[in-house]
Amino acid sequence: MIVLGIDPGFARVGYGIIDYNKNKYKVIEYGSITTEANMKFSKRLNKIEKDLESICCKYKINVASVEKLFFNTNTKTGIQVAEARGVILNTMENLNIEVCEYTPLQIKQALVGYGRADKLQIKSMVKSFLNLEVMPKLDDTTDALAIAICHTHSYKMNDLLK
């Protein structure tokens, strides 16, 4: 199963693609879709859509796992991230890719076993699960890989419940 993990944003959308097969993980690709601050916002959203379409077609994604939003104090930024997230969900729908959504709490619980885990704990578990020698530089990318791993845990649980 080829899983695309997505950490939504509008300046940077983290993505991580893993192959999960027989309880084994293989990293296929990871990175960030970036948009420039001086771009018109609608153009930023369009770039996210086009780049995401390209990634999905190139890697033949089976399922996308997307982080649900957690609003902090900056409402303006939160609304823009929500709009970018809408573009992400719509892009997956247009490509007929199933989307599963997870809260930050669920992601931390799946990786660390503790919903209040910190960034270092998440990074450590991503490195361990994926047998990475070097961690991605950007937190968005590491988070996207964590979201993909989270989906494999949820997927396994759903299989057990059938």
Side-chain angles (χ1 to χ4, degrees):
M1 169 175 53
I2 306 299
V3 182
L4 169 63
I6 302 173
D7 183 26
F10 60 92
R12 205 169 35 231
V13 176
Y15 70 88
I17 305 165
I18 62 173
D19 184 3
Y20 178 73
N21 189 11
K22 297 180 182 174
N23 287 330
K24 296 202 186 305
Y25 295 93
K26 179 182 171 198
V27 176
I28 296 174
E29 177 69 54
Y30 57 82
S32 293
I33 298 168
T34 58
T35 64
E36 299 300 321
N38 62 352
M39 286 175 79
K40 186 176 170 185
F41 189 69
S42 60
K43 297 234 183 263
R44 294 174 96 171
L45 296 177
N46 186 260
K47 182 180 185 331
I48 291 167
E49 177 183 19
K50 297 303 178 202
D51 288 3
L52 203 49
E53 282 175 353
S54 177
I55 290 165
C56 289
C57 291
K58 181 177 180 180
Y59 295 104
K60 298 180 179 29
I61 303 301
N62 298 117
V63 63
S65 52
V66 181
E67 184 175 33
K68 287 185 178 179
L69 285 184
F70 173 75
F71 270 95
N72 56 15
T73 55
N74 191 339
T75 308
K76 182 180 183 226
T77 300
I79 290 170
Q80 290 177 313
V81 173
E83 290 172 337
R85 192 172 177 283
V87 167
I88 292 164
L89 297 176
N90 190 60
T91 302
M92 295 299 105
E93 181 66 27
N94 288 339
L95 295 172
N96 293 315
I97 296 173
E98 177 186 3
V99 175
C100 297
E101 302 173 75
Y102 302 98
T103 65
L105 188 79
Q106 288 172 309
I107 296 162
K108 292 173 182 180
Q109 184 74 36
L111 267 76
V112 180
Y114 175 60
R116 303 278 182 238
D118 63 32
K119 287 278 187 197
L120 283 176
Q121 290 171 303
I122 296 297
K123 284 182 177 189
S124 175
M125 293 308 291
V126 167
K127 185 175 182 181
S128 175
F129 274 109
L130 300 178
N131 199 25
L132 296 174
E133 289 183 27
V134 178
M135 286 301 298
K137 290 179 181 164
L138 300 173
D139 284 345
D140 306 289
T141 307
T142 303
D143 290 349
L145 290 167
I147 295 160
I149 295 167
C150 173
H151 176 73
T152 66
H153 288 223
S154 299
Y155 173 79
K156 287 190 288 188
M157 290 305 296
N158 288 336
D159 264 6
L160 293 173
L161 296 173
K162 287 181 182 176

